Amino acid sequence: MRKTIPIVVAALAAGFVLAALILRQQLGGWLDLVLNWAIIIASAALLVAVAALILTHLRHIIRGQRGFIYSIILISAFLVSFVGALVLGLDNTAYLRWVAAIQLPLETSLLGLAALVMTGAALQIFRSRGWSLLTISFGISALVFLVISLGLLQALNIPLLTTIIAYLQRLPLIGARGLLIGIGIGALMTGLRVMLGLEKGWGE
Amino acid sequence: MILCPHCGKENLPVATRCVHCGEDLEDLFRIEGTDPDAGLPEEQDISVSDLLQAFRQEDDSQAEKPRPVISIGKTPEPAASEETQSVTPEGEDEQTPEWLARIRKRALQEEDAAGELSRKINAMEASRAEEHQGRVDEEFANWIARIRENARRENLLAAKPAEPSPESEEGVPEWLRKVRELQPQDAEQNQPSEETIAGFSIEASAQEAEQGDEPAQEAEQVDEPALEQSEPAEALAANPQEESEPGAVPELESESAELVLHPDEEASPDARADEEPSEGPKTPELEPVLEELGLTAEVGALDLEEKPSSSEELSADLLLLRKQKENAQMLMTLIGEEGKGLPPAKTAREASKGWYRFILGAFLLLVLAAVIVFVPEARPIKFENPTPAVALKDALNALESGDTVLVVQEYQAATSAEMEQMSAPVLRALEERGVKLQFLTTHPNGLWLSANLMDAADIPAREISYLAGGRLGVLAAALQLDESSAAVPGALENLENYTLILLLEDSQADIQNWIEQAGPWLKAGKLGILASSQNAALLLPYYDAGQLAGYAAGTMEGRVLADALDAPTAGAPSRAYQAGLLVMIAVLLLGMIIKAEADSNARHQKEPEA
């Protein structure tokens, strides 16, 4: 029973949304209502996730587990942001700039670290994998596209070189199309599995 | 293995001839006087019933007579056996079968009923046992001697270092004088006889000591016989006259001195063999003197790793003991090193490779710095944007004053620099043209990043709407049939009312949300995208399918687009972007060079081995 009800609800919701998209004039009002429900439920789920996160870190602080200082920082930042938004409001310019002043360097540093990790991986790939077709092709393609991304070659305004660069830049489209086709087919299959009750990812 | 009856050595069971003496081994399986092939026809004539009957009759006849007592493990006397076999009852001859009678007759003809085979085997075993016993005794004696020698050396190691002994007025060292005091008569008697003992190097050292050499040096020379423990016996055997005189060499070192201080042992025939084991406890008189004089310290300098002269003749048992001792020492070492951690690995770095890499890395960094500082910013003179960017430019140029553009801000803070560099000139151009801009975001980040974007675009700040629900919210906004929908912000109109929806994206998932959820409900050419460079490849299929009015990806296309819109751009983030790309190029090249260098080193290391 516990497994049957979610499957039935998911199948009914998917079938209704699909029918409403087709029969838009007849079921449009109901579709808007169902979408509102889904958004509210998703927001509530987000709140539950935030509450679980806060409780977990509070537990770390109370027990004095290793690295609890980070839990203190997390909860402190959350409380400041939450209380600040409640008191000042989301439209307050000072509050928005204050949050942006924290968020911007954090995410930029994270992206920079990701770039460094990828660079280190590129440095190690030849040592760990040796010379192979994969590594050589990776190295050449990486170098070519990095140089193209610099824009220095385009600045030379050589017609032949510009044509070659344009051709090279269209090469990733082949992989992009395949990727998009794969994503589309995967989404279609997942939707069908949900509607048919074959997808049982919840409650397990 | 089988033993050869002739030489007594081992041979393989399948051997038909001894590999040592060459004698035929098939005699082991042959009964002398009989032809193995000749007996077969006769045995065929004897049936099983006859054989059983013969045994029963024989048992009955033996039960009537007293049976001879045969003790296990003892071979009966040959004479007795001959007697018992020769005395056969007369009535039994009639009952015994023919084959048994033949055997008995043959036994009577043989000199030894037990056969020559058993006699040879017994003799061979006896000889082997005697030889083995002799070897065991010899090895045991050597083993005991070595153990005592080792113990004595260990004791000497712990002794005090040698101190220079004061010399008397006559130039005689004090230790020699004390030794002579212990045996005054012997010293006087043996003074001339010292020269006759040519086999001992101790004499020379004693004479040198008398001549006034350094005491430590003398002691070192005196200790030489200790290294030659097996020599005194041979020397004494070569000089029986000296051996017979007690106290012949009182100045000698303790080991050799004991030979004369205990004449009763040497008088016995086994004294020579046991002289070394008796050396330790049998020198009570000399040991305190030597310890007092510090001579034992010099003995402690002996090489403990020196092998005894008989080491080549060590048996397997003794070798095993030595191996066990080495294993025990290794185990003790390991136990002692437990918990101390591994010693730092000695990595032999080649100095030449260090500066080579340093120069290479420094050169790459120098090139990078020079490019950033001195090379002017890349600004294409006549760079033409790709078709999608040109299409977006046309869509933007088609906007007129009073048109409403919905700007959807959906990028993260990490890519805000790139996105602001691209979108700020476009927004400024639209603002100057009188186009109404309305901002929307589906990410919380957009709420606080919008202020920066408006500052960068130099446009008046305005409120940004937040569309909750992500994909569902986009679908609800696109399907906005009811104006009072709770999921859609109140400021957001029906998406069909906007002339253009300009998406500022850095995520492929967000782009797909708008194209796949809202796109089907919108007219063609409603969606235009300014995206980060990594999304360029994924946008082209949507453009080719007619789902996009156009798009520009990356700072380069954004700059061309801004130039087309007559909106100047700032170049600082572009320089940083180029610097990052240069760093990645340098690191990638460095990885290739390091790998090539490692391969070259490995090749050079293999060549000498080959």
Side-chain angles (χ1 to χ4, degrees), chain B residues 207-252:
Chain B
Q207 290 173 0
E208 290 174 3
E210 292 177 353
Q211 292 172 3
D213 291 345
E214 291 293 330
Q217 187 178 357
E218 293 164 1
E220 185 176 357
Q221 293 173 352
V222 165
D223 293 334
E224 287 180 2
L227 298 174
E228 303 169 356
Q229 295 178 15
S230 59
E231 296 295 327
E234 300 173 358
L236 290 173
N239 301 283
Q241 185 179 358
E242 296 294 331
E243 183 185 359
S244 61
E245 297 177 0
V249 281
E251 309 89 344
L252 300 182

Short mmCIF file of all heavy atoms in Angstrom, two decimals, chain B residues 207-252:
data_model
loop_
_atom_site.label_atom_id
_atom_site.label_comp_id
_atom_site.label_asym_id
_atom_site.label_seq_id
_atom_site.Cartn_x
_atom_site.Cartn_y
_atom_site.Cartn_z
N GLN B 207 107.81 -11.41 23.95
CA GLN B 207 109.15 -10.85 23.86
C GLN B 207 109.11 -9.37 23.54
O GLN B 207 109.88 -8.57 24.07
CB GLN B 207 109.93 -11.59 22.77
CG GLN B 207 110.24 -13.02 23.17
CD GLN B 207 110.85 -13.79 22.02
OE1 GLN B 207 111.02 -13.24 20.94
NE2 GLN B 207 111.19 -15.05 22.28
N GLU B 208 108.20 -9.00 22.67
CA GLU B 208 108.06 -7.58 22.35
C GLU B 208 107.62 -6.79 23.57
O GLU B 208 108.02 -5.65 23.77
CB GLU B 208 107.05 -7.39 21.24
CG GLU B 208 107.58 -7.89 19.90
CD GLU B 208 106.53 -7.82 18.84
OE1 GLU B 208 105.42 -7.33 19.17
OE2 GLU B 208 106.79 -8.24 17.71
N ALA B 209 106.78 -7.46 24.37
CA ALA B 209 106.35 -6.78 25.59
C ALA B 209 107.52 -6.54 26.51
O ALA B 209 107.63 -5.51 27.17
CB ALA B 209 105.28 -7.61 26.31
N GLU B 210 108.39 -7.52 26.56
CA GLU B 210 109.56 -7.34 27.40
C GLU B 210 110.47 -6.26 26.85
O GLU B 210 111.24 -5.66 27.58
CB GLU B 210 110.30 -8.67 27.51
CG GLU B 210 109.53 -9.70 28.30
CD GLU B 210 110.27 -11.02 28.31
OE1 GLU B 210 111.30 -11.14 27.61
OE2 GLU B 210 109.83 -11.92 29.03
N GLN B 211 110.43 -6.07 25.57
CA GLN B 211 111.29 -5.05 24.98
C GLN B 211 110.73 -3.64 25.14
O GLN B 211 111.31 -2.68 24.66
CB GLN B 211 111.51 -5.35 23.50
CG GLN B 211 112.35 -6.60 23.30
CD GLN B 211 112.40 -7.01 21.84
OE1 GLN B 211 111.84 -6.29 21.01
NE2 GLN B 211 113.07 -8.11 21.55
N GLY B 212 109.60 -3.56 25.76
CA GLY B 212 109.10 -2.23 26.10
C GLY B 212 108.17 -1.62 25.09
O GLY B 212 108.09 -0.40 24.97
N ASP B 213 107.43 -2.39 24.35
CA ASP B 213 106.43 -1.84 23.43
C ASP B 213 105.23 -1.30 24.19
O ASP B 213 105.09 -1.45 25.39
CB ASP B 213 105.97 -2.92 22.45
CG ASP B 213 107.11 -3.27 21.51
OD1 ASP B 213 108.07 -2.47 21.46
OD2 ASP B 213 107.03 -4.33 20.88
N GLU B 214 104.36 -0.69 23.42
CA GLU B 214 103.15 -0.15 24.03
C GLU B 214 102.32 -1.29 24.60
O GLU B 214 102.14 -2.31 23.95
CB GLU B 214 102.33 0.58 22.98
CG GLU B 214 102.95 1.87 22.50
CD GLU B 214 102.99 2.92 23.59
OE1 GLU B 214 102.08 2.88 24.45
OE2 GLU B 214 103.90 3.74 23.61
N PRO B 215 101.80 -1.10 25.79
CA PRO B 215 101.03 -2.19 26.40
C PRO B 215 99.80 -2.56 25.60
O PRO B 215 99.49 -3.74 25.45
CB PRO B 215 100.65 -1.62 27.77
CG PRO B 215 101.65 -0.55 28.03
CD PRO B 215 102.02 0.01 26.72
N ALA B 216 99.12 -1.55 25.07
CA ALA B 216 97.91 -1.88 24.31
C ALA B 216 98.25 -2.69 23.08
O ALA B 216 97.57 -3.64 22.72
CB ALA B 216 97.20 -0.59 23.92
N GLN B 217 99.33 -2.31 22.44
CA GLN B 217 99.74 -3.03 21.25
C GLN B 217 100.15 -4.45 21.60
O GLN B 217 99.87 -5.39 20.88
CB GLN B 217 100.90 -2.27 20.62
CG GLN B 217 101.31 -2.85 19.27
CD GLN B 217 102.42 -2.05 18.67
OE1 GLN B 217 102.85 -1.04 19.25
NE2 GLN B 217 102.89 -2.47 17.52
N GLU B 218 100.81 -4.56 22.73
CA GLU B 218 101.19 -5.89 23.17
C GLU B 218 99.97 -6.74 23.45
O GLU B 218 99.89 -7.90 23.04
CB GLU B 218 102.01 -5.78 24.44
CG GLU B 218 103.37 -5.10 24.21
CD GLU B 218 103.96 -4.65 25.51
OE1 GLU B 218 103.31 -4.90 26.54
OE2 GLU B 218 105.05 -4.07 25.51
N ALA B 219 99.05 -6.13 24.11
CA ALA B 219 97.84 -6.90 24.44
C ALA B 219 97.13 -7.34 23.18
O ALA B 219 96.60 -8.44 23.09
CB ALA B 219 96.91 -6.06 25.30
N GLU B 220 97.14 -6.48 22.17
CA GLU B 220 96.49 -6.84 20.92
C GLU B 220 97.19 -8.03 20.27
O GLU B 220 96.58 -8.93 19.72
CB GLU B 220 96.53 -5.64 19.99
CG GLU B 220 95.76 -5.89 18.69
CD GLU B 220 95.75 -4.66 17.86
OE1 GLU B 220 96.30 -3.64 18.34
OE2 GLU B 220 95.22 -4.70 16.75
N GLN B 221 98.50 -8.01 20.36
CA GLN B 221 99.23 -9.13 19.80
C GLN B 221 99.06 -10.37 20.63
O GLN B 221 99.06 -11.48 20.12
CB GLN B 221 100.70 -8.77 19.70
CG GLN B 221 100.95 -7.66 18.68
CD GLN B 221 102.38 -7.21 18.71
OE1 GLN B 221 103.14 -7.62 19.60
NE2 GLN B 221 102.74 -6.36 17.77
N VAL B 222 98.95 -10.17 21.92
CA VAL B 222 98.76 -11.32 22.78
C VAL B 222 97.43 -11.99 22.50
O VAL B 222 97.30 -13.20 22.58
CB VAL B 222 98.84 -10.88 24.25
CG1 VAL B 222 98.29 -11.95 25.17
CG2 VAL B 222 100.28 -10.58 24.61
N ASP B 223 96.48 -11.20 22.10
CA ASP B 223 95.14 -11.75 21.90
C ASP B 223 95.01 -12.50 20.59
O ASP B 223 93.98 -13.08 20.33
CB ASP B 223 94.11 -10.63 21.93
CG ASP B 223 94.05 -10.05 23.31
OD1 ASP B 223 94.38 -10.80 24.26
OD2 ASP B 223 93.69 -8.87 23.44
N GLU B 224 96.00 -12.46 19.79
CA GLU B 224 95.87 -13.14 18.51
C GLU B 224 95.56 -14.61 18.64
O GLU B 224 94.80 -15.16 17.85
CB GLU B 224 97.15 -12.93 17.70
CG GLU B 224 97.26 -11.51 17.17
CD GLU B 224 98.53 -11.34 16.39
OE1 GLU B 224 99.28 -12.34 16.26
OE2 GLU B 224 98.78 -10.23 15.92
N PRO B 225 96.14 -15.31 19.61
CA PRO B 225 95.77 -16.73 19.73
C PRO B 225 94.30 -16.94 19.98
O PRO B 225 93.77 -18.00 19.69
CB PRO B 225 96.61 -17.22 20.91
CG PRO B 225 97.75 -16.29 20.95
CD PRO B 225 97.24 -14.97 20.50
N ALA B 226 93.66 -15.94 20.53
CA ALA B 226 92.22 -16.13 20.77
C ALA B 226 91.47 -16.32 19.47
O ALA B 226 90.43 -16.95 19.43
CB ALA B 226 91.67 -14.94 21.54
N LEU B 227 91.99 -15.73 18.42
CA LEU B 227 91.36 -15.90 17.12
C LEU B 227 91.65 -17.26 16.53
O LEU B 227 90.97 -17.72 15.63
CB LEU B 227 91.83 -14.80 16.16
CG LEU B 227 91.50 -13.38 16.56
CD1 LEU B 227 92.16 -12.42 15.60
CD2 LEU B 227 89.99 -13.20 16.59
N GLU B 228 92.69 -17.85 16.99
CA GLU B 228 93.10 -19.13 16.44
C GLU B 228 92.89 -20.19 17.49
O GLU B 228 93.81 -20.79 18.01
CB GLU B 228 94.55 -19.07 16.02
CG GLU B 228 94.83 -17.94 15.02
CD GLU B 228 96.30 -17.74 14.83
OE1 GLU B 228 97.05 -18.43 15.53
OE2 GLU B 228 96.68 -16.94 13.99
N GLN B 229 91.64 -20.39 17.81
CA GLN B 229 91.36 -21.29 18.92
C GLN B 229 91.65 -22.74 18.57
O GLN B 229 91.91 -23.56 19.43
CB GLN B 229 89.91 -21.16 19.33
CG GLN B 229 89.62 -19.79 19.89
CD GLN B 229 88.19 -19.66 20.25
OE1 GLN B 229 87.50 -20.64 20.35
NE2 GLN B 229 87.74 -18.45 20.47
N SER B 230 91.55 -23.01 17.33
CA SER B 230 91.82 -24.39 16.96
C SER B 230 93.30 -24.65 16.79
O SER B 230 93.71 -25.77 16.62
CB SER B 230 91.10 -24.74 15.66
OG SER B 230 91.57 -23.87 14.65
N GLU B 231 94.09 -23.60 16.83
CA GLU B 231 95.51 -23.76 16.59
C GLU B 231 96.28 -24.37 17.78
O GLU B 231 97.19 -25.14 17.58
CB GLU B 231 96.13 -22.40 16.24
CG GLU B 231 95.59 -21.84 14.96
CD GLU B 231 95.98 -22.71 13.79
OE1 GLU B 231 97.08 -23.30 13.83
OE2 GLU B 231 95.18 -22.81 12.85
N PRO B 232 95.96 -23.98 19.02
CA PRO B 232 96.79 -24.50 20.12
C PRO B 232 96.86 -26.01 20.16
O PRO B 232 97.91 -26.57 20.45
CB PRO B 232 96.11 -23.94 21.37
CG PRO B 232 95.44 -22.70 20.89
CD PRO B 232 95.01 -23.00 19.51
N ALA B 233 95.76 -26.65 19.87
CA ALA B 233 95.80 -28.12 19.93
C ALA B 233 96.77 -28.66 18.91
O ALA B 233 97.56 -29.57 19.20
CB ALA B 233 94.39 -28.67 19.69
N GLU B 234 96.74 -28.08 17.72
CA GLU B 234 97.66 -28.56 16.69
C GLU B 234 99.09 -28.24 17.07
O GLU B 234 100.01 -29.05 16.87
CB GLU B 234 97.31 -27.91 15.36
CG GLU B 234 95.90 -28.24 14.92
CD GLU B 234 95.53 -27.45 13.69
OE1 GLU B 234 96.39 -26.64 13.26
OE2 GLU B 234 94.42 -27.64 13.19
N ALA B 235 99.28 -27.05 17.62
CA ALA B 235 100.64 -26.67 18.01
C ALA B 235 101.17 -27.55 19.12
O ALA B 235 102.33 -27.96 19.12
CB ALA B 235 100.67 -25.21 18.45
N LEU B 236 100.30 -27.86 20.05
CA LEU B 236 100.72 -28.72 21.14
C LEU B 236 101.02 -30.12 20.63
O LEU B 236 101.92 -30.79 21.11
CB LEU B 236 99.63 -28.75 22.21
CG LEU B 236 99.48 -27.44 22.98
CD1 LEU B 236 98.27 -27.53 23.89
CD2 LEU B 236 100.75 -27.15 23.77
N ALA B 237 100.22 -30.54 19.66
CA ALA B 237 100.50 -31.85 19.10
C ALA B 237 101.84 -31.88 18.38
O ALA B 237 102.55 -32.88 18.37
CB ALA B 237 99.37 -32.23 18.14
N ALA B 238 102.18 -30.74 17.77
CA ALA B 238 103.47 -30.68 17.07
C ALA B 238 104.64 -30.55 18.04
O ALA B 238 105.78 -30.85 17.70
CB ALA B 238 103.48 -29.51 16.09
N ASN B 239 104.39 -30.12 19.26
CA ASN B 239 105.46 -29.93 20.26
C ASN B 239 105.08 -30.67 21.54
O ASN B 239 104.68 -30.08 22.52
CB ASN B 239 105.66 -28.44 20.55
CG ASN B 239 106.01 -27.70 19.28
OD1 ASN B 239 107.15 -27.77 18.81
ND2 ASN B 239 105.03 -27.03 18.71
N PRO B 240 105.18 -31.95 21.51
CA PRO B 240 104.77 -32.70 22.71
C PRO B 240 105.66 -32.43 23.90
O PRO B 240 105.24 -32.53 25.04
CB PRO B 240 104.87 -34.16 22.25
CG PRO B 240 105.84 -34.14 21.11
CD PRO B 240 105.68 -32.83 20.45
N GLN B 241 106.87 -32.05 23.62
CA GLN B 241 107.75 -31.80 24.75
C GLN B 241 107.30 -30.58 25.53
O GLN B 241 107.28 -30.58 26.75
CB GLN B 241 109.18 -31.60 24.24
CG GLN B 241 110.18 -31.45 25.36
CD GLN B 241 111.58 -31.30 24.79
OE1 GLN B 241 111.78 -31.34 23.58
NE2 GLN B 241 112.53 -31.14 25.68
N GLU B 242 106.98 -29.56 24.79
CA GLU B 242 106.50 -28.35 25.45
C GLU B 242 105.17 -28.59 26.12
O GLU B 242 104.85 -28.03 27.15
CB GLU B 242 106.36 -27.22 24.44
CG GLU B 242 107.67 -26.79 23.82
CD GLU B 242 108.56 -26.18 24.87
OE1 GLU B 242 108.02 -25.59 25.83
OE2 GLU B 242 109.79 -26.26 24.76
N GLU B 243 104.38 -29.44 25.48
CA GLU B 243 103.06 -29.69 26.05
C GLU B 243 103.14 -30.38 27.39
O GLU B 243 102.32 -30.15 28.27
CB GLU B 243 102.28 -30.55 25.06
CG GLU B 243 100.86 -30.83 25.49
CD GLU B 243 100.23 -31.77 24.51
OE1 GLU B 243 100.90 -32.16 23.54
OE2 GLU B 243 99.07 -32.13 24.73
N SER B 244 104.14 -31.22 27.50
CA SER B 244 104.25 -32.00 28.75
C SER B 244 104.71 -31.16 29.91
O SER B 244 104.54 -31.55 31.05
CB SER B 244 105.21 -33.18 28.53
OG SER B 244 106.49 -32.67 28.20
N GLU B 245 105.30 -29.99 29.64
CA GLU B 245 105.81 -29.18 30.74
C GLU B 245 104.73 -28.24 31.24
O GLU B 245 104.24 -27.39 30.50
CB GLU B 245 107.00 -28.35 30.25
CG GLU B 245 108.16 -29.22 29.81
CD GLU B 245 109.28 -28.38 29.26
OE1 GLU B 245 109.11 -27.14 29.25
OE2 GLU B 245 110.30 -28.95 28.86
N PRO B 246 104.36 -28.38 32.49
CA PRO B 246 103.33 -27.49 33.04
C PRO B 246 103.88 -26.08 33.22
O PRO B 246 105.02 -25.90 33.62
CB PRO B 246 102.94 -28.14 34.37
CG PRO B 246 104.16 -28.93 34.74
CD PRO B 246 104.80 -29.38 33.47
N GLY B 247 103.01 -25.13 32.91
CA GLY B 247 103.39 -23.74 33.07
C GLY B 247 104.47 -23.32 32.12
O GLY B 247 105.29 -22.47 32.44
N ALA B 248 104.49 -23.87 30.95
CA ALA B 248 105.54 -23.53 29.99
C ALA B 248 105.41 -22.10 29.50
O ALA B 248 106.40 -21.42 29.28
CB ALA B 248 105.47 -24.49 28.81
N VAL B 249 104.21 -21.60 29.32
CA VAL B 249 104.04 -20.23 28.81
C VAL B 249 103.15 -19.47 29.75
O VAL B 249 101.99 -19.20 29.48
CB VAL B 249 103.44 -20.26 27.39
CG1 VAL B 249 104.52 -20.58 26.37
CG2 VAL B 249 102.32 -21.29 27.30
N PRO B 250 103.66 -19.10 30.91
CA PRO B 250 102.81 -18.39 31.87
C PRO B 250 102.46 -17.00 31.41
O PRO B 250 101.49 -16.42 31.89
CB PRO B 250 103.67 -18.36 33.13
CG PRO B 250 105.08 -18.47 32.64
CD PRO B 250 105.02 -19.31 31.42
N GLU B 251 103.24 -16.43 30.47
CA GLU B 251 102.93 -15.06 30.05
C GLU B 251 101.82 -15.03 29.02
O GLU B 251 101.36 -13.98 28.62
CB GLU B 251 104.17 -14.42 29.42
CG GLU B 251 105.42 -14.52 30.25
CD GLU B 251 106.17 -15.78 29.94
OE1 GLU B 251 105.58 -16.69 29.33
OE2 GLU B 251 107.33 -15.88 30.33
N LEU B 252 101.48 -16.19 28.59
CA LEU B 252 100.53 -16.22 27.49
C LEU B 252 99.16 -15.75 27.93
O LEU B 252 98.86 -15.62 29.11
CB LEU B 252 100.42 -17.64 26.93
CG LEU B 252 101.74 -18.20 26.39
CD1 LEU B 252 101.50 -19.58 25.81
CD2 LEU B 252 102.31 -17.27 25.33
#
